[in-house]
Amino acid sequence: MHRGILTPVGLAGTDTPADSNDAAAEEKCDYNLKLLIEGHPTMPRIQTTEDRRLEEACIRKKHWKRWGPYLSERQWGTVREDYSPGGTAWEFFPHDHARSRAYRWGEDGIGGISDRHQMMCFGLALWNGRDSILKERLFGLTGNQGNHGEDVKEYYFYLDSTPTHSYMRMLYKYPQAAYPYEILVEESRRRGRGQPEFELLDTGVFSQNRYFDLFVEYAKANVEDMLIRITAVNRGPEAAALHILPQLWFRNTWSWGKDLRRPLARKGTSVPGSACVELQHWQYGKRWLLCAGQPELLFTENETNNSRLFGGKNRSPYVKDAFHEYLIYGNKAAVNPDQMGTKMSAYYPLQLDPGQSITLKLRLTDLEPLGGMNTGAGMVGGVVSPGTQERAEGVPATNDFDAGFEGLFATRQKEAEEFYATRIPKELSNDAKAVMRQSFSGMLWSKQFYHYDVRTWLEGDPAGPKPPDSRWEGRNKDWTHLYNDDIISMPDKWEYPWYAAWDLAFHCIPLALVDPDFAKEQLILLSREWYMHPNGQLPAYEWAFGDVNPPVHAWAAWRVYKIERRVRGVADRGFLEKVFHKLLLNFTWWVNRKDPDGANIFQGGFLGLDNIGVFDRSAPLPTGGHLEQSDGTSWMGMYCLNMLAIALELAKEDPAYEDVASKFFEHFVYIARAINDFGAGGQSLWDDADGFYYDVLKLPNGEEHFLKIRSMVGLIPLFAVETLEPEIVDRLPGFKRRMQWFIDNHPDVPEHIEMTQRSARGVRRLLSLVNRKQLKRVLGRMLDETEFFSPYGVRALSRYHKYHPYEVHVNGNMNRVDYEPAESATGVFGGNSNWRGPIWFPVNYLLVESLQKFHHYYGEDFKVECPAHSRAESDLWQVAAEISRRLIHIFLRDSSGRRPVAGGTELFQSDPHWRDLILFYEYFHGDNGAGLGASHQTGWTGLVAKLIEQSGV
């Protein structure tokens, strides 16, 4: 077996035992030294320019994050824009409306940016002379059009970004042939769920390389001064026309009857060599957009074209789709001749020869253009413009689109390289470095402005029609307290342009490597009063805030705390304490709402695993009764241990937390006893005959039955594991006394706590739902390549079910679970994700971490066959390394130069303009590792960056 190498820094979430005297550390004033003596290694960190920007942003000295890639890639078809009586979001606001209809809650665009409140937006519009519509936004199929649910049908890639977005780069591939909108819809409608998705490449529009590569780059000269570079390359064999329209517009905040203030964009006094647009907004004051090359400037209003969509009257003759009308239909009257409005574009008509590239340059700045010019040779900085700050040294003049402009880009690129050199291990292969860098870029580009005020959405706007009363009995009716107006890490800004609670928790792990402050802000955000329900529930996602996601917030907070402590050498106890208090409310909600019998066996519904069960676990069971869920109970066991670990950490400086720690210790033991129920009278969730955990169906007549589906549901009990080190327990006498009393007075405790290891420091205790014997049996199945263990990680459903499908007959209907390693063949949860065989990074990551924790306790003496039946034994650290290796190699080139993630798409495997572009999919084929589902879900698939960092691939 190939052995992966896992470096010990920042792995299992278990701290290296310290041999030093704790008291010695406490005498020191240097907190970093205290951390080191406690066994928490600090990572020497060169203070790069980007690190200094992060510090300035954190203390609000300079707002480096005010502008970023916060524009969504799809605002149409979202719940926020849906005012239909039946909650039919896709149909109420379809793609065909998007070019003509003002959005209420946000904006979208291609390769765009906005300020953090999305008052001003910038994005790219394109026309190849053949498309039926101006390309202003990405196209994809709705949840009802796709044979596997919603799916973007474009090719775009996030190539680089720093955490403050001081430098960003993305690529969009634009076909020269007419975009095949109707073909994509019709062919997808024709295909059934058993067929693969019909992709844009399948239409042939990229044949003979007849497309343009469009690179969009941003470099911040200062907080409010952004240089923009758009480079178009003709990859085709013939000359081709390309019309590029960089657009700037204001989010429509004035049409809804609550705030009538109206921003304005108008043609300004030009700087030599460029066209100028003056921007005036009541929140930001004056800004200017400078467009090199003196393009034609077009102006209109970001207002709905009621005439086109609804046969009504327009409030203005100039509406949102004016540039579409102007360019494609030659309607010159569509744009405002007075050259002012709330939406504008600089029009660059281009003709590119084969292989030719052309670069456009723009600048969005708070420097007054004439005042910021260089007027003489050798003039450096020092120019003060009215109402603006002095132009800093190194910032190019407003009329400098040559050496100064290019020099600023070169500087920011160099700073980005320096920053990532401190985050990406230098010993990695170049391929692994590139994967890690693109994963960080994807995560940082996936920040989005998210605005949703549920009460206002339900009530409707003063200037709009009254929404149907039925909405007060429909979606999100119980979440009227929820008011979101923030920058949030999205799973995928096209397919999932809304946050999901458990996705977000996983995002924060790799984000903490590059921007711990942002990771902490995200975790705190979802627990704030205007997010968390008054009853303590965290919002799940906008389609149903009341759905239940796995409770991984505490785990993420604990991991982010420790990652930051390692990366920066400083522990943010204030953050840990703040999030802990809010999570106490959420934990209580779980206990009160999801353990109806008070038996410490938990329900929870689908719990993020969509179609994994034989029934829809979020709907009433066709059999009646309810499910006692192995995963729900196990998640709560893990939650207890996460909260216990946090409480013990806080108790080091505040003894009040010792009692809270005791509560979580005891609650965990009760859950461990309940899930295993060794002779206590009820139905255990552990099947000793199979050596596996299952959900149990409890029928109304009192009968209980295992649902014998070998799935991730039965592996999740492994996640609930933690070691209590004697040096921690001995520092907390109150906790130690209570724990010993509990052990002495509960004879069955040894079934759930191992205390066999002794050292010079005392007794080490392992808290785990799974005891040593059960662990061996579960791993026997998990590491069996004919069951869970794929060449690319651990499958969500055992391959055993390929030949032995699980069937239940109820009321004349057959419910069935088959092994499906690719897309789902069922419509459960929209059919756009599949937990019946593919590989998912979040649960695989938790398996890796759990195995490391088990190894931390059991050591090298505990060995299992890996793979099962191979006669090659490995300790659990080595098993974790092997799973990590298999996951990482989904993205790396193999010996033949092919990446499993790209599957059979030859262009991505061999073409020099495609082969180094990585897509971070939602999940992966259980047998061949090909990417499936949402194609830009760097969110939790970005965990690969953390695996690479700690594995040294």
Side-chain angles (χ1 to χ4, degrees), residues 50-247:
E50 181 65 12
D51 284 307
R52 288 192 288 274
R53 288 194 195 98
L54 286 169
E55 286 186 3
E56 290 175 339
C58 181
I59 63 176
R60 301 194 176 188
K61 180 180 179 181
K62 297 186 77 173
H63 298 290
W64 283 108
K65 297 180 185 178
R66 176 172 289 159
W67 288 84
Y70 309 143
L71 202 61
S72 178
E73 274 143 14
R74 178 176 62 83
Q75 183 69 15
W76 60 272
T78 60
V79 167
R80 283 155 286 154
E81 301 294 340
D82 175 27
Y83 287 80
S84 67
T88 52
W90 289 112
E91 290 72 28
F92 183 80
F93 203 133
H95 175 267
D96 184 57
H97 283 204
R99 69 180 180 273
S100 305
R101 187 171 169 184
Y103 292 126
R104 172 63 177 88
W105 296 99
E107 297 288 337
D108 58 18
I110 298 173
I113 60 172
S114 76
D115 63 280
R116 67 176 297 109
H117 296 291
Q118 206 163 93
M119 297 299 182
M120 297 187 199
C121 307
F122 177 91
L124 204 58
L126 306 163
W127 190 49
N128 56 18
R130 295 183 173 91
D131 279 354
S132 58
I133 62 174
L134 184 64
K135 175 69 74 172
E136 295 179 283
R137 57 189 49 81
L138 302 175
F139 175 75
L141 302 179
T142 71
N144 301 320
Q145 290 174 332
N147 60 324
H148 296 291
E150 61 264 37
D151 187 41
V152 68
K153 300 299 183 184
E154 307 270 12
Y155 294 104
Y156 56 104
F157 308 89
Y158 307 122
L159 301 181
D160 209 357
S161 181
T162 58
T164 65
H165 312 296
S166 56
Y167 176 72
M168 299 191 296
R169 184 171 184 249
M170 69 86 67
L171 167 64
Y172 174 66
K173 290 183 178 285
Y174 185 40
Q176 294 171 6
Y179 188 92
Y181 292 102
E182 293 181 3
I183 293 173
L184 287 164
V185 172
E186 290 304 317
E187 176 60 20
S188 297
R189 181 182 293 123
R190 188 187 66 79
R191 295 191 177 197
R193 293 194 183 277
Q195 295 176 277
E197 294 175 351
F198 186 63
E199 302 294 358
L200 184 58
L201 275 173
D202 299 328
T203 67
V205 293
F206 287 94
S207 63
Q208 297 183 295
N209 291 329
R210 294 179 185 273
Y211 68 92
F212 300 102
D213 270 341
L214 285 131
F215 296 92
V216 183
E217 295 174 276
Y218 299 90
K220 291 183 180 179
N222 213 323
V223 171
E224 299 284 352
D225 190 4
M226 282 149 291
L227 279 56
I228 305 165
R229 188 164 65 182
I230 302 166
T231 302
V233 185
N234 181 359
R235 299 293 186 198
E238 298 175 354
L242 175 64
H243 304 256
I244 301 181
L245 295 86
Q247 297 187 134

Side-chain angles (χ1 to χ4, degrees), residues 243-248 266-268 270 273-277 289-300 322-323 325-327 330-339 343-350 360 362:
H243 304 256
I244 301 181
L245 295 86
Q247 297 187 134
L248 191 142
R266 63 185 176 188
K267 185 177 181 180
S270 294
S274 68
C276 176
V277 180
L289 180 68
L290 308 178
C291 311
Q294 296 184 319
E296 179 183 5
L297 298 180
L298 308 176
F299 293 82
T300 189
F323 306 150
E325 288 287 321
Y326 179 87
L327 191 60
N331 182 3
K332 306 301 181 185
V335 298
N336 191 339
D338 294 333
Q339 296 192 299
K343 178 181 178 181
M344 63 74 51
S345 176
Y347 175 35
Y348 293 90
L350 307 174
L360 309 181
L362 301 95

Side-chain angles (χ1 to χ4, degrees), residues 181 225 507 548 875 882 921:
Y181 292 102
D225 190 4
H507 300 183
V548 183
D875 63 40
E882 178 62 12
Y921 285 86

Side-chain angles (χ1 to χ4, degrees), residues 474-550:
R475 180 173 288 134
N476 298 330
K477 64 182 177 63
D478 298 323
W479 290 78
T480 54
H481 73 286
L482 189 135
Y483 183 91
N484 298 167
D485 185 359
D486 297 286
I487 303 301
I488 306 179
S489 177
M490 296 292 151
D492 178 319
K493 289 204 297 185
W494 193 94
E495 193 148 330
Y496 303 113
W498 31 262
Y499 63 88
W502 82 307
D503 296 59
L504 184 63
F506 288 105
H507 300 183
C508 292
I509 306 307
L511 282 171
L513 294 174
V514 293
D515 190 355
D517 292 319
F518 182 70
K520 291 185 294 183
E521 289 166 8
Q522 294 292 283
L523 292 170
I524 290 291
L525 189 62
L526 254 66
S527 68
R528 296 306 302 263
E529 306 85 83
W530 48 92
Y531 282 76
M532 178 185 278
H533 197 279
N535 64 19
Q537 184 180 8
L538 295 179
Y541 49 87
E542 69 173 29
W543 287 89
F545 282 127
D547 265 358
V548 183
N549 280 179

Side-chain angles (χ1 to χ4, degrees), residues 4 13 22 72 111 170 182 310 374 386 409 454 456 519 560 571 581 666 766 804 820 828 850 895 928:
D22 289 331
S72 178
M170 69 86 67
E182 293 181 3
F310 311 114
N374 273 348
F409 266 98
V454 172
T456 296
V560 166
H581 287 167
E666 294 175 15
L766 179 73
H804 306 88
E820 301 173 33
V828 178
S850 298
S895 58
N928 62 36

Side-chain angles (χ1 to χ4, degrees), residues 860-874:
E860 297 178 0
D861 294 335
F862 188 103
K863 293 182 182 293
V864 294
E865 287 187 349
C866 182
H869 314 302
S870 66
R871 298 186 180 180
E873 289 201 328
S874 304

